[in-house]
């Protein structure tokens, strides 16, 4: 609860923090938030073993990272196409087709040259905010990657493309990892979630995200 309140307060500063060249005032705000977390909240998390029972401790990378926008929806509704349209170009690892094609979570981020970063490398990088995903295991990390592409849009945000939501039991049996828990992890850290759907459908059935 304390961390949720804290991170929601931090989120209001995220857009300022995304500026390529941060001004001194913005940087001071970020540094002060780090200090408050480490001096007031981290001791409580350590005392009650928050890292074991829920999530690893927050790192500096989570404070310094750009705002994240998560795209969620059923398969073949245009999530990947929307990202492609938004950044104005193809990106490494994109998969577009009429059937379920995006079978992995992809963090689309800015960089000097196009490349794909494996999920396990993203999780251990001290400069990226994905360390907490290690707890979902190798099966998930094999379905997680970073797509680096030069883009003026991505200088300010990171876009998270997700696999299409499947129906009923397929959601649980066909993944090899806990899809709903992974979505919850990303959603808890996203500054904006875009729910993409077909124009003929109201939305994602609640049962598609139901867990026992």
């Amino acid at each position: 609860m304390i961390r949720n309140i804290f991170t929601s307060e931090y989120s209001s500063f995220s857009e300022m923090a995304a500026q390529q060249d941060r001004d001194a005032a913005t940087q001071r705000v970020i540094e002060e938030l780090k200090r408050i977390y480490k001096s007031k909240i981290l001791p409580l998390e350590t005392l009650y073993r928050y890292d074991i029972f829920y999530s690893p401790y927050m790192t500096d990378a989570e404070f310094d990272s750009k705002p994240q926008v998560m795209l969620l929806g059923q398969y073949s509704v245009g999530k990947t196409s929307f990202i492609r349209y938004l950044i104005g170009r193809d990106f490494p690892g994109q998969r577009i087709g009429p059937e379920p094609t995006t079978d992995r979570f992809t963090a689309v981020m800015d960089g000097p040259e196009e490349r794909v970063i494996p999920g396990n490398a993203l999780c251990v990088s001290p400069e990226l905010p994905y360390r907490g995903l290690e707890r979902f295991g190798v099966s998930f990390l094999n379905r997680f990657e970073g797509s680096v592409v030069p883009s003026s849009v991505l200088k300010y945000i990171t876009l998270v493309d997700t696999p299409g939501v499947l129906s009923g039991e397929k959601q649980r049996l066909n993944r090899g990892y806990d899809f709903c828990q992974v979505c919850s992890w990303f959603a808890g850290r996203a500054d904006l979630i875009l729910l993409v759907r077909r124009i003929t459908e109201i939305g994602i059935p609640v049962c598609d995200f139901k867990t026992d």
Side-chain angles (χ1 to χ4, degrees):
M1 176 65 73
I2 295 177
R3 179 189 284 197
N4 289 341
I5 295 172
F6 180 77
T7 52
S8 66
E9 290 295 321
Y10 165 67
S11 183
S12 64
F13 295 102
S14 293
E15 287 192 37
M16 291 191 300
Q19 297 175 8
Q20 188 177 20
D21 298 313
R22 290 175 175 157
D23 57 51
T26 300
Q27 191 60 43
R28 284 198 299 271
V29 169
I30 294 173
E31 293 303 322
E32 181 64 13
L33 287 170
K34 290 180 185 178
R35 186 193 66 79
I36 293 172
Y37 172 74
K38 292 175 181 178
S39 63
K40 304 296 184 181
I41 300 175
L42 182 58
L44 289 175
E45 292 185 344
T46 303
L47 176 64
Y48 293 105
R49 306 310 303 269
Y50 191 83
D51 60 321
I52 293 178
F53 294 105
Y54 187 70
S55 179
Y57 307 131
M58 293 182 71
T59 64
D60 286 350
E62 293 183 71
F63 290 92
D64 295 327
S65 64
K66 302 171 185 177
Q68 296 194 82
V69 178
M70 178 184 183
L71 286 88
L72 187 65
Q74 292 177 302
Y75 68 86
S76 300
V77 294
K79 299 185 298 296
T80 304
S81 296
F82 177 79
I83 292 176
R84 182 176 178 273
Y85 172 80
L86 193 63
I87 65 177
R89 59 180 298 171
D90 293 337
F91 57 90
Q94 75 173 38
R95 300 164 183 84
I96 298 175
E99 295 299 321
T101 49
T102 301
D103 65 343
R104 60 192 62 219
F105 286 78
T106 304
V108 186
M109 59 190 75
D110 180 57
E113 58 184 28
E114 293 187 7
R115 62 189 177 114
V116 173
I117 305 175
N120 58 347
L122 291 174
C123 288
V124 299
S125 173
E127 299 177 354
L128 296 173
Y130 301 118
R131 190 186 66 168
L133 290 169
E134 289 180 312
R135 67 189 180 101
F136 296 110
V138 176
S139 294
F140 165 72
L141 294 180
N142 289 337
R143 292 289 183 270
F144 176 46
E145 66 184 17
S147 178
V148 180
V149 59
S151 169
S152 58
V153 173
L154 297 175
K155 291 182 183 298
Y156 304 100
I157 60 174
T158 294
L159 300 171
V160 179
D161 196 8
T162 63
V165 177
L166 301 176
S167 300
E169 285 294 290
K170 294 180 182 178
Q171 189 80 282
R172 183 174 62 86
L173 300 176
N174 290 8
R175 300 290 189 184
Y177 60 90
D178 194 326
F179 178 78
C180 293
Q181 286 297 317
V182 173
C183 282
S184 178
W185 190 94
F186 276 105
R189 290 157 179 79
D191 294 83
L192 177 67
I193 301 172
L194 298 179
L195 181 60
V196 185
R197 63 181 179 87
R198 297 180 182 89
I199 195 171
T200 57
E201 297 178 353
I202 296 177
I204 299 174
V206 174
C207 61
D208 289 349
F209 274 111
K210 185 177 180 180
T211 57
D212 295 331

